[in-house]
Amino acid sequence: MEYINYKNFGKCAKLSKGGKTMLVTVDVGPRIIFYGYDNGENIFYEDIDDNINRDSDYIKKNLKGKGIWHIYGGHRIWKSPEYEDSYYPDNSPVKVLELSNGTSFVSDTEITTGLQKVMNIYMDDDGNATIDHIFINNGNCPTPKIALWTLSVMDKGAKAEIPLSTKDTGLLANRNLVLWSYTDLNDKRLDIQNDKITLSQRTDTDKAVKIGTYVEKQAKVYIKDMVFTKDFDRKEGDYADFCCNVECYTNKHMLEIESLSNLQSLEIGQSLIHSEHWTLTKVSHNKQ
């Protein structure tokens, strides 16, 4: 690990292994703001122009002096179900701790939720990664039922592929499709087939679209002659948003591929962990 200054994101920790590079913000976040091959392109969206941000009466009332929420881009931790307190302005520096085989990035405790966010990153010899996402309840009471929600914000031109179950379950249902109020099923970026959902990012429309489901296999994103595979924990229990462990959202700026843990209430001092396993490989356009 070494520290560098990266664009307008300030100080970042640079992690390199197996011909791949990861940059993690230190002045704000945490965000994995860059992931790609050494000296190659970033698969993640970088919100250099601050196109995506959010202010609200909730932030003004409860978080005076913390600034507004900025997406920044990259990969982040959030809290589900999505309420105003999910948009906590993580604009403060993070603590960096070196682990025996990885690096830990630790945020301040959130004033409104009592949650502390931790991202432990481990890269293998091929430069692929395991990320342990952790909530710690540092508040003064148990939390309501919440889930760890991990969002990878992919750059323009991304195409997500989410598998659907093909199991023969007889008289019982074998898959679910979850839609948001702004989702148009006739949207040309969205393609629902018997065995998968594909959602493509395009810059020629202002409309957003989002879809969710429960999957038993990893999701993939094709971007810039690379394929990003995102596998994750699938534990028994209840899931948010009508039983989703994967959600996908896109607008004219980016595409988000998101995974969720099961819902749990955390006692004081208790932790919740949700792990993702990433692989990145090169692929030609004709294989997409």
Side-chain angles (χ1 to χ4, degrees), residues 88-205:
Y88 191 89
D90 41 7
N91 301 327
S92 301
V94 301
K95 185 184 296 183
V96 183
L97 304 172
E98 292 197 48
L99 308 174
S100 60
N101 58 344
T103 312
S104 181
F105 298 87
V106 184
S107 74
D108 290 339
T109 298
E110 295 185 351
I111 296 170
T112 48
T113 66
L115 294 173
Q116 186 174 43
K117 299 172 181 174
V118 180
M119 211 183 272
N120 293 341
I121 300 173
Y122 311 90
M123 295 181 77
D124 66 20
D125 291 339
D126 294 320
N128 299 316
T130 294
I131 299 97
D132 291 339
H133 309 84
I134 303 167
F135 276 158
I136 304 171
N137 181 12
N138 290 333
N140 55 14
C141 62
T143 70
K145 281 194 170 185
I146 59 172
L148 270 162
W149 185 10
T150 56
L151 304 92
S152 299
V153 188
M154 313 303 296
D155 204 2
K156 291 178 174 63
K159 182 176 76 172
E161 186 177 288
I162 302 166
L164 291 174
S165 174
T166 56
K167 285 183 180 179
D168 183 353
T169 52
L171 300 177
L172 301 178
N174 75 337
R175 64 202 127 158
N176 65 329
L177 293 175
V178 180
L179 308 174
W180 275 253
S181 58
Y182 51 83
T183 296
D184 181 356
L185 283 175
N186 295 311
D187 195 298
K188 293 181 180 179
R189 294 167 292 178
L190 179 63
D191 183 19
I192 302 173
Q193 301 179 28
N194 288 327
D195 61 346
K196 64 184 177 182
I197 302 165
T198 58
L199 184 62
S200 300
Q201 196 282 331
R202 287 172 50 170
T203 59
D204 58 355
T205 176

Side-chain angles (χ1 to χ4, degrees), residues 6-7 9 33-34 42 44-48 72-74 155:
Y6 183 65
K7 298 185 178 179
F9 298 105
I33 199 64
F34 181 102
N42 189 7
F44 291 144
Y45 172 67
E46 300 173 356
D47 195 13
I48 299 293
Y72 293 115
D155 204 2

Side-chain angles (χ1 to χ4, degrees), residues 30 66 78 120 171 175 213 222 228 287:
K66 291 290 183 182
W78 246 12
N120 293 341
L171 300 177
R175 64 202 127 158
T213 187
Y222 296 91
F228 173 63
K287 292 183 180 179

